[in-house]
Amino acid sequence: MKYYQVTLLVRGNRRNIILKANDRADAISKAKKDYQGTLIRIKEISAPIDATIKEFFSQFRTTVANKKVQPKNLIAAIRQLAVMTNAGISVHDALNEIAGATNDAKLKEILTQASENINSGLSLSETFKRYRYDVGGITLAMIELGEQTGNMADALASLADILEEIQENVQKFKKAMRYPMITMGAMAIAFTILIMVVVPKFKAIFEKFHAELPLPTKILLGIEHVMSNYGLIVLVGLVFFIMLILYLYRNNENFKYKADKLMLKTYLIKDIIFFATLNRFSIVFTELVHAGIPIADALDTATSMIDNAVLKEKLEAVKVSVSRGVSLTEAFKDTGVFENMIIQMISAGESSGQLDSMMRKVTDYYRMRFNYILDNMSSYIEPIMLAIIAGLVLLLALGIFLPMWDMARAVKAH
């Protein structure tokens, strides 16, 4: 949306009005519709400061407060929709029935709105695109598949299976992270208590002897000073910082791209994102190819549901290359994303005319790699956790005992 300053002549008086519109023609249309007068001049201007601030806080509140539909409720709704459409019930009636039965307020809103939009002539995929954040890219891709093939019931049934698999992986991830999170949380509480209770007592002793303090002790005393005097400010600032990062990630494409690029270079996170993304991509792409969708269209749909901006950019290059006549094997190879074994499997499937069958094997491979990471999550995290705990214990030990030893030696010397 852009801002325009429109100059009108209303009853002999010159008026300047600021409008928000998609383009110049839209601004002219709004000016003529909302104001009675003669249009004299229109020019694009930068966004007013007050409007920018107001829009920022509005989007910020929406971003922070917005919650996704509960996965189990979405899966149940899709299962019901698949069964009802397979039984010959219209999508409009099925959506109304499911909306009335669900207890999820957000899902009820989406289904009710979808029913109304379908009644007014929109497709189910067009309706759900407005709720992409809530229902996810895979849901959109599979609904589009059902519309393209004319077999919505099978597409929805496959979608429910895919979402159930993803939800199982999410539960595995949470289960794997539970022990490290509890351990680190307990360590953080213990460290905070030591800083707030024990360190101040030693601080009084150190100040009494006016001894030169070593660096670890200075660090501990600095942390204690900040937590004692600015603890609440630091906590509020940390919460605001996290919320700001989330806002920028969801609303600023440049920031999101840099963040996604950084995550693909971060230990463990890079493997989780990489294999989860390629697993989802291959699942959707395989389903589309198996349904007889042209490869270029299948790539377009499968790529659209990828969240990581860096991987999405590389896979979009595959779509462009294929549309220009490059073979799928060469297009995948040029991305540098797929390992040689995968390229050979795709090549074999493409040359034999059994691409969908070979892509299922590729999907199974990425599923296996992703599940392996989840199943061994604790073994990946333990070294990091031990290093953090060891660092905190070492800091406390050196910070407290080093100056005590120095003072003991000073007393003996006297």
Side-chain angles (χ1 to χ4, degrees):
M1 299 292 280
K2 302 175 183 178
Y3 287 88
Y4 294 88
Q5 185 181 57
V6 181
T7 304
L8 296 167
L9 191 63
V10 181
R11 296 178 182 177
N13 296 320
R14 195 182 183 95
R15 290 185 61 185
N16 289 320
I17 301 164
I18 296 177
L19 295 175
K20 189 178 180 182
N22 292 317
D23 50 36
R24 185 183 180 88
D26 188 28
I28 294 173
S29 176
K30 286 184 177 181
K32 290 181 177 179
K33 180 180 178 181
D34 298 337
Y35 300 94
Q36 298 296 326
T38 304
L39 181 64
I40 299 176
R41 186 178 61 178
I42 181 171
K43 66 176 181 178
E44 184 179 346
I45 59 173
S46 57
I49 295 177
D50 58 337
T52 303
I53 295 173
K54 185 177 180 181
E55 185 175 353
F56 170 79
F57 280 107
S58 175
Q59 292 182 0
F60 187 86
R61 285 193 300 269
T62 302
T63 301
V64 173
N66 194 14
K67 293 183 179 180
K68 283 188 176 182
V69 175
Q70 289 294 321
K72 63 178 182 179
N73 295 332
L74 178 62
I75 294 169
I78 290 172
R79 283 275 184 217
Q80 293 176 55
L81 188 59
V83 171
M84 295 175 79
T85 51
N86 190 45
I89 300 173
S90 69
V91 174
H92 174 266
D93 293 339
L95 289 172
N96 277 333
E97 184 68 26
I98 299 169
T102 184
N103 294 322
D104 191 312
K106 187 68 176 179
L107 181 59
K108 184 186 291 288
E109 174 193 335
I110 293 172
L111 296 177
T112 302
Q113 187 63 49
S115 175
E116 292 175 0
N117 290 343
I118 287 174
N119 200 38
S120 63
L122 292 178
S123 66
L124 186 60
S125 61
E126 289 173 329
T127 296
F128 272 45
K129 278 180 182 177
R130 303 177 184 180
Y131 300 97
R132 180 185 177 88
Y133 173 77
D134 301 287
V135 301
I138 288 181
T139 301
L140 294 180
M142 294 305 292
I143 288 175
E144 287 179 356
L145 170 63
E147 291 175 346
Q148 291 173 18
T149 59
N151 195 343
M152 182 63 76
D154 286 350
L156 291 172
S158 297
L159 171 60
D161 292 336
I162 293 170
L163 292 178
E164 280 183 348
E165 181 182 337
I166 292 172
Q167 185 59 20
E168 286 176 4
N169 288 334
V170 170
Q171 294 303 321
K172 280 184 183 180
F173 179 77
K174 289 181 178 179
K175 186 178 179 180
M177 290 296 294
R178 194 172 299 147
Y179 167 70
M181 293 297 291
I182 292 173
T183 304
M184 294 306 298
M187 190 64 194
I189 293 171
F191 183 77
T192 303
I193 293 173
L194 286 171
I195 289 292
M196 300 299 294
V197 177
V198 178
V199 172
K201 295 181 179 179
F202 283 96
K203 181 180 179 182
I205 298 173
F206 299 152
E207 290 176 347
K208 182 178 179 180
F209 284 89
H210 303 287
E212 178 63 29
L213 300 176
L215 179 61
T217 307
K218 291 180 179 178
I219 293 174
L220 282 180
L221 294 177
I223 295 173
E224 186 272 334
H225 176 75
V226 171
M227 292 179 68
S228 298
N229 297 280
Y230 310 104
L232 185 59
I233 296 174
V234 171
L235 182 62
V236 172
L238 182 62
V239 172
F240 179 78
F241 178 74
I242 293 172
M243 293 168 68
L244 180 62
I245 292 295
L246 290 174
Y247 169 80
L248 291 174
Y249 185 79
R250 293 172 183 169
N251 295 279
N252 188 299
E253 292 183 4
N254 188 43
F255 181 86
K256 175 177 167 54
Y257 186 88
K258 291 180 179 178
D260 286 341
K261 190 173 183 179
L262 177 62
M263 285 190 285
L264 287 176
K265 295 179 180 179
T266 305
Y267 170 76
L268 188 58
I269 294 176
K270 63 181 180 182
D271 292 330
I272 294 173
I273 292 175
F274 181 80
F275 288 112
T277 300
L278 290 186
N279 183 34
R280 294 184 185 187
F281 170 81
S282 57
I283 286 172
V284 176
F285 181 67
T286 301
E287 291 291 339
L288 294 173
V289 172
H290 179 70
I293 304 299
I295 290 178
D297 294 337
L299 285 168
D300 188 37
T301 303
T303 304
S304 66
M305 45 69 59
I306 293 176
D307 293 324
N308 186 277
V310 177
L311 291 176
K312 185 172 185 176
E313 182 182 60
K314 292 184 177 182
L315 291 172
E316 282 178 341
V318 175
K319 176 186 67 178
V320 174
S321 297
V322 169
S323 63
R324 291 176 179 173
V326 179
S327 69
L328 185 64
T329 303
E330 288 299 319
F332 274 135
K333 186 176 181 179
D334 290 341
T335 62
V337 172
F338 300 90
E339 53 196 279
N340 190 50
M341 181 189 73
I342 300 299
I343 298 298
Q344 291 178 359
M345 291 171 68
I346 294 172
S347 177
E350 193 174 22
S351 59
S352 64
Q354 297 180 338
L355 181 61
D356 59 335
S357 176
M358 196 58 69
M359 283 303 302
R360 290 196 186 280
K361 291 182 170 45
V362 172
T363 302
D364 291 338
Y365 170 76
Y366 283 125
R367 181 184 293 115
M368 179 268 295
R369 290 293 302 271
F370 183 56
N371 287 333
Y372 179 82
I373 293 173
L374 293 180
D375 293 338
N376 295 275
M377 184 73 70
S378 58
S379 63
Y380 290 119
I381 295 176
E382 278 177 2
I384 302 174
M385 188 170 61
L386 290 174
I388 294 173
I389 294 174
L392 293 176
V393 171
L394 186 63
L395 177 63
L396 283 168
L398 292 178
I400 292 174
F401 291 115
L402 277 179
M404 297 294 289
W405 290 333
D406 291 340
M407 285 186 289
R409 283 197 296 267
V411 170
K412 288 181 180 181
H414 288 289

